[in-house]
Amino acid sequence: MDGKRTIAIMTSGGDAPGMNAAIRAITKTAIYKGYKVMGIKNGFKGLIEADMKEFGLTDVEDILHLGGTVLGTARLPEFKLPEVQDKAVNILKTYGITDLVVIGGDGSFTGAQKLSHKCEEPKHNYKCNVVCLPGTIDNDLACTDQTIGFDTALNTVVEAVDKIRDTMSSHGRCCVVEIMGNRCGDLSLFSSINTGAESLILAERPESFNVDKICEAVSDGVKKGRKCHIVILSELLTDASELSKTIEKRTGVSTRPSILGYIQRGGAPTAGDRMLATKMGVYAVDLLEKGYSNQIVSIRNNKIVNDDIDVALAMPRVFDEELWAMNDILSI
Ligand code: ADP
Ligand code: F6P
């Protein structure tokens, strides 16, 4: 390498535990390979504001175990506008950024893809290689079996629901627990299996939002001598408080709502997320060193792989029918 290349890193969209492990792996690998590294603050917002600084080894010391992202993150809806993307390209040129790693979800990937195409427009004629890493607790990306942050969030949810079960059992109650995931039910489905939830309402299975069936299951549970009833509710489907009131009114079983909220996005990354983020970070720098651009790094069948952003974003998400069926059996 000629020693003049500069890799910039940004985190964008919702933060996810393990983003810092990825930032550390990218920075260390890039420095090892002779790159200059720049840390861009707050995603695309920081890029257009030129809010960035050179990242050295000391900047990534003691961050492997930290949740959140030391680079900060933001949502900048205006990044859809070509004139805002033009501004970003000018900043990349000014700072001599030849390579960019974007860690985020599908929105951030679309932003990265547009930025890369913008660079290639004749008026800019600038080459900046872009590689993306999947960082989101939602696990909502078709190209990868797992996203950085999902395992930690799942463990956080499981721990919280176990605690909720303790108190609900003591009072003989039902609890509607609202789980994050945007429109993806993975956090809900996986946590339902791991906590032995009695009912599950999932975005991918609209028929599961059946109040009659849930109330029947709660009443049946009382007859069977169940001590409590946990209803896992994927966010954005209905109001957890209203559903709790309806269940209580119809069944006579004392019912409480519990919205887990942002606790699900914070906390130290699990070993699984640290490993995934580290492997993906190292792989991303290897791709850039080989001259790849417009790539998303994924894990499939336990192997780190890469796809063109267009190809990866066009992949259809396949719902795990087997897990869904398994959960159904285990919730009887
Ligand atoms: P995530 O990356 O977690 O999916 P968002 O959907 O909020 O999160 O996207 C993060 C950021 O990516 C947005 O705030 C915006 O700056 C950029 N972005 C998203 N969609 C687009 C798009 N269609 N064109 C350009 N930039 C986009
Ligand atoms: O994408 C991660 C996520 O935590 C989703 O699960 C949730 O719907 C959303 O972000 C919340 O976003 P905000 O931080 O803008 O409230």
Side-chain angles (χ1 to χ4, degrees):
M1 207 181 75
D2 61 14
K4 288 185 189 141
R5 296 187 72 86
T6 298
I7 292 187
I9 313 166
M10 70 158 79
T11 48
S12 166
D15 62 296
M19 280 183 163
N20 285 323
I23 294 166
R24 171 183 178 269
I26 297 160
T27 303
K28 286 200 164 201
T29 310
I31 289 173
Y32 177 82
K33 289 178 186 276
Y35 287 89
K36 178 178 168 184
V37 178
M38 296 292 286
I40 300 172
K41 298 287 289 176
N42 306 324
F44 294 109
K45 181 172 178 287
L47 176 60
I48 62 160
E49 290 167 355
D51 189 1
M52 61 180 93
K53 68 161 206 152
E54 185 167 353
F55 249 42
L57 293 175
T58 51
D59 293 294
V60 295
E61 232 175 56
D62 298 335
I63 69 165
L64 177 61
H65 62 298
L66 299 180
T69 160
V70 291
L71 286 174
T73 186
R75 291 197 169 95
L76 180 75
E78 304 89 290
F79 202 69
K80 291 185 180 131
L81 304 173
E83 60 270 29
V84 179
Q85 295 160 14
D86 281 327
K87 207 169 163 186
V89 178
N90 288 331
I91 304 284
L92 292 176
K93 282 188 199 169
T94 306
Y95 285 80
I97 294 166
T98 52
D99 303 85
L100 176 66
V101 183
V102 176
I103 312 169
D106 53 357
S108 305
F109 299 165
T110 307
Q113 182 189 40
K114 294 210 172 148
L115 179 62
S116 162
H117 290 157
K118 234 323 147 206
C119 285
E120 284 158 16
E121 284 180 7
K123 70 175 173 195
H124 289 299
N125 192 22
Y126 187 68
K127 181 79 185 140
C128 178
N129 293 333
V130 177
V131 171
C132 302
L133 299 193
T136 164
I137 62 163
D138 298 337
N139 210 35
D140 58 349
L141 301 169
C143 56
T144 188
D145 292 343
Q146 202 161 312
T147 55
I148 297 167
F150 176 68
D151 186 55
T152 308
L154 176 60
N155 279 283
T156 302
V157 171
V158 168
E159 198 185 330
V161 176
D162 286 350
K163 287 178 179 164
I164 289 171
R165 184 178 285 283
D166 286 345
T167 173
M168 294 299 144
S169 290
S170 304
H171 287 260
R173 281 177 174 158
C174 170
C175 187
V176 176
V177 189
E178 185 186 288
I179 311 281
M180 271 186 174
N182 200 0
R183 298 279 167 193
C184 174
D186 278 18
L187 265 181
S188 296
L189 176 58
F190 283 60
S191 61
S192 173
I193 290 170
N194 281 292
T195 60
E198 284 75 16
S199 297
L200 169 63
I201 307 174
L202 266 198
E204 289 90 340
R205 286 292 169 273
E207 69 277 11
S208 62
F209 183 29
N210 181 332
V211 181
D212 291 338
K213 208 174 150 202
I214 292 163
C215 290
E216 203 181 297
V218 173
S219 300
D220 261 12
V222 173
K223 284 182 208 144
K224 283 181 199 157
R226 260 187 193 151
K227 285 191 244 143
C228 90
H229 192 108
I230 300 289
V231 180
I232 298 278
L233 166 68
S234 297
E235 67 173 352
L236 309 176
L237 296 180
T238 189
D239 183 286
S241 300
E242 287 306 315
L243 180 58
S244 296
K245 280 184 207 154
T246 306
I247 294 173
E248 182 165 307
K249 204 167 149 199
R250 291 215 203 158
T251 63
V253 174
S254 167
T255 305
R256 297 283 190 270
S258 185
I259 298 170
L260 293 192
Y262 293 95
I263 193 172
Q264 296 162 95
R265 235 166 48 187
T270 57
D273 270 331
R274 294 180 202 197
M275 190 64 111
L276 181 64
T278 300
K279 281 186 182 173
M280 286 183 162
V282 171
Y283 191 93
V285 179
D286 286 346
L287 283 180
L288 291 170
E289 193 184 27
K290 288 176 190 149
Y292 280 84
S293 188
N294 286 309
Q295 300 293 304
I296 296 181
V297 177
S298 295
I299 184 161
R300 290 200 291 271
N301 300 320
N302 216 18
K303 196 172 175 330
I304 306 290
V305 294
N306 56 289
D307 303 283
D308 196 84
I309 298 182
D310 302 294
V311 174
L313 287 178
M315 289 180 186
R317 259 203 105 242
V318 181
F319 180 68
D320 196 330
E321 296 290 349
E322 275 181 32
L323 276 190
W324 170 254
M326 190 172 97
N327 179 72
D328 217 30
I329 293 169
L330 297 175
S331 63
I332 57 167

